[in-house]
Amino acid sequence: MPLSFLAGVYGMNFDREAGNMPELGWRHGYLFFWVLTAIVVMGLFLWMRRKRWL
């Protein structure tokens, strides 16, 4: 569910000039998104391993 939320938010069309999503104008905004996604995936993986679901 967290990854679906991230993909849903970043999959929308936003107007950078309106300032509603400033990270779209960041130099490393795309990298920021993928690093955040990797952190969420690793967090979920470790949490599931600790719960012994995997």
Side-chain angles (χ1 to χ4, degrees):
M1 191 151 107
L3 291 178
S4 296
F5 173 75
L6 287 174
V9 168
Y10 280 89
M12 294 182 198
N13 294 323
F14 287 100
D15 186 14
R16 201 177 349 177
E17 286 77 34
N20 54 10
M21 229 171 153
E23 61 269 16
L24 292 176
W26 294 350
R27 181 175 179 189
H28 301 290
Y30 187 71
L31 177 63
F32 169 77
F33 170 73
W34 284 110
V35 169
L36 180 64
T37 302
I39 290 170
V40 169
V41 168
M42 287 304 297
L44 287 171
F45 177 74
L46 293 173
W47 178 68
M48 287 183 197
R49 291 235 4 206
R50 194 172 75 180
K51 293 277 211 181
R52 297 179 189 228
W53 290 351
L54 291 177

